[in-house]
Amino acid sequence: MSSCDQLVEIPREDWSALRNLFQRDWPKHEFAYYLLGNYLNWMEHQETKDVTCYSLNDNWRKNETFVLQDGFEIYFYSKDGNDNCAILIRLLSLVRWDSCNEVSMDYLERHHPAIE
């Protein structure tokens, strides 16, 4: 982790743009596309205050990596093809884990090193 790394909230008005990044190379990144799409649809029908998306250093457009926190549950995804999940590890290391009681088990096997 770089000492200047920051966990930066992705504004909700940018979530559609974030979701659309995952249309490329379809259906390789469909998990992230549908995860974000579901939250966007839910937010149209009800106010969800406990849902927040974060990026590493506000570079989500470049590294296509995010963490979504829904109350006590956390989801994450990275298009980074690096097998050691370096960007995702740096991002997850900034999350306040005392506020998260459960990591969603819905993640790709290639992201397992980030959880370990």
Side-chain angles (χ1 to χ4, degrees), residues 10-68:
I10 301 171
R12 287 193 181 184
E13 57 267 15
D14 289 337
W15 288 18
S16 291
L18 175 62
R19 178 201 59 200
N20 293 343
L21 292 174
F22 300 104
Q23 284 183 303
R24 287 185 230 130
D25 303 320
W26 191 260
K28 185 174 182 181
H29 307 288
E30 66 182 331
F31 172 81
Y33 180 85
Y34 286 123
L35 173 71
L36 292 164
N38 285 338
Y39 275 96
L40 286 165
N41 288 335
W42 292 332
M43 288 186 292
E44 283 181 18
H45 296 94
Q46 66 184 25
E47 181 63 29
T48 51
K49 296 180 182 182
D50 287 350
V51 180
T52 312
C53 255
Y54 297 101
S55 67
L56 180 65
N57 303 324
D58 201 28
N59 285 332
W60 59 270
R61 288 176 183 92
K62 181 180 175 186
N63 62 33
E64 301 169 313
T65 301
F66 70 92
V67 166
L68 185 145

Side-chain angles (χ1 to χ4, degrees), residues 1 3-4 6-7 10 17-18 22 28-29 31-32 34 42 54 67 73 77 80 91 103 107:
M1 174 174 80
S3 63
C4 60
Q6 294 181 7
L7 189 67
I10 301 171
L18 175 62
F22 300 104
K28 185 174 182 181
H29 307 288
F31 172 81
Y34 286 123
W42 292 332
Y54 297 101
V67 166
E73 192 164 26
Y77 194 86
D80 182 18
L91 176 57
V103 173
Y107 64 87

